[in-house]
Amino acid sequence: MKDVLVLVEKFSAHPDSRCWYVAWNPAGTLMASCGGDRAIRIWGREDGSWKCKDVLQDGHQRTVRKVAWSNCGNYLASASFDATTSIWKKKDGEFECLTVLEGHENEVKCVAWAPSGNLLATCSRDKSVWVWEVDEEDEYECVTVVNSHTQDVKHVVWHPTQELLASASYDNNICIYKEEEDDWECKATLEGHTSTVWSLSFDPSGQRMASCSDDRTVKIWKECENEGEKSWKCVCTLSGFHERAVYDVAWCRLTGALATACGDDSVRVFKEDETANPDQPIFSLAARVAKAHVQDVNCVSWNPKEAGLLVSCGDDGDIAVWRYQEEP
């Protein structure tokens, strides 16, 4: 391990509460965070440090678990334990609640926008994944409810270029969905983890996907073609690095570095061996901060525009901004 993660700044984002998630806007200039205090906070740089620019309150009655920016950066979606998803629209520099999406039976665990901005996916403890269509009048309509998991669905993520959706669940599996004749269907179930799959992240090309689990491993899945049939196969397992559950994984679109958030209070960065066979990739631990947070680290997210800029948040309610520096 020669590379280093340097702490740029750490600040209290959700005092006396967990900070569950932090997401960069597409321009990399703002962050949105959410937590157990039911609030969403918007953070921006001011005089070299991060300041709270806006607090979105009254949108939810319970914990806000995830936030997601639309590709245009003008919309923010928030998923809550109150069984709703709120859509916020930026107007004159401020966010207002546009609509509240209802339908899930209980906690909504994640929300994600498709690259086109016309589709939104939500998932819930009710074991379902919902796909919503958005029209030009900002009207949202549920077009499909998929029940491919047998347990709580923790995470949904869209492919970076295709309208392909992946979900991760408490049932230890990952499901891949595609639209067939106006209906979204589960096309593949990826088995391999031995406990809850907490998060997923596609690589920049979308040909590979990383998954992280309660089983303390990270798996790399690759889309393979065999006799015209496409399928996802596990080509690498990162084991022995994490001492507790791995709650989040983030694949940097700019550098290809892989970051993880772990229940052992650490943030780690893995680097791929570029000389290895792409069908048998090798990742090595490049950097680790042992006490990145005082408690569990819940989320890691790479800045989409500034290479090496990483943000994390944890049960301590803090956000930490890191700079990943590779040894020349």
Side-chain angles (χ1 to χ4, degrees), residues 280-320:
Q280 295 174 315
I282 298 166
F283 287 81
S284 58
L285 183 61
R288 178 194 176 189
V289 179
K291 288 285 174 192
H293 289 268
V294 182
Q295 292 168 284
D296 292 3
V297 187
N298 294 321
C299 169
V300 278
S301 182
W302 293 101
N303 186 293
K305 300 294 183 189
E306 199 174 325
L309 193 64
L310 180 73
V311 67
S312 64
C313 67
D315 277 3
D316 54 11
D318 291 352
I319 287 176

Side-chain angles (χ1 to χ4, degrees), residues 122-238:
T122 58
C123 66
S124 165
R125 191 178 151 195
D126 65 14
K127 309 173 190 173
S128 70
V129 171
W130 291 40
V131 178
W132 307 77
E133 221 164 61
V134 192
D135 67 17
E136 289 167 8
E137 276 78 50
D138 287 334
E139 293 288 328
Y140 290 74
E141 182 193 358
C142 176
V143 289
T144 305
V145 175
V146 199
N147 291 289
S148 298
H149 288 289
T150 58
Q151 298 288 339
D152 183 356
V153 190
K154 301 290 187 187
H155 195 80
V156 279
V157 64
W158 291 92
H159 187 281
T161 56
Q162 301 171 26
E163 289 200 337
L164 178 139
L165 181 67
S167 63
S169 169
Y170 188 66
D171 65 10
N172 310 352
N173 294 338
I174 299 157
C175 288
I176 308 281
Y177 311 88
K178 272 188 174 171
E179 192 178 17
E180 292 283 338
E181 296 168 9
D182 295 336
D183 219 12
W184 286 82
E185 295 176 2
C186 178
K187 290 294 181 187
T189 301
L190 314 186
E191 299 175 348
H193 283 294
T194 57
S195 192
T196 301
V197 186
W198 284 105
S199 191
L200 305 165
S201 181
F202 281 100
D203 78 350
S205 70
Q207 291 173 339
R208 297 183 300 173
M209 178 176 65
S211 60
C212 64
S213 167
D214 220 70
D215 65 13
R216 306 179 188 184
T217 71
V218 172
K219 288 185 182 290
I220 308 295
W221 307 82
K222 188 171 187 276
E223 191 175 30
C224 309
E225 197 161 335
N226 189 14
E227 295 173 5
E229 287 290 310
K230 285 187 175 180
S231 63
W232 289 82
K233 291 196 171 76
C234 180
V235 290
C236 176
T237 300
L238 281 63

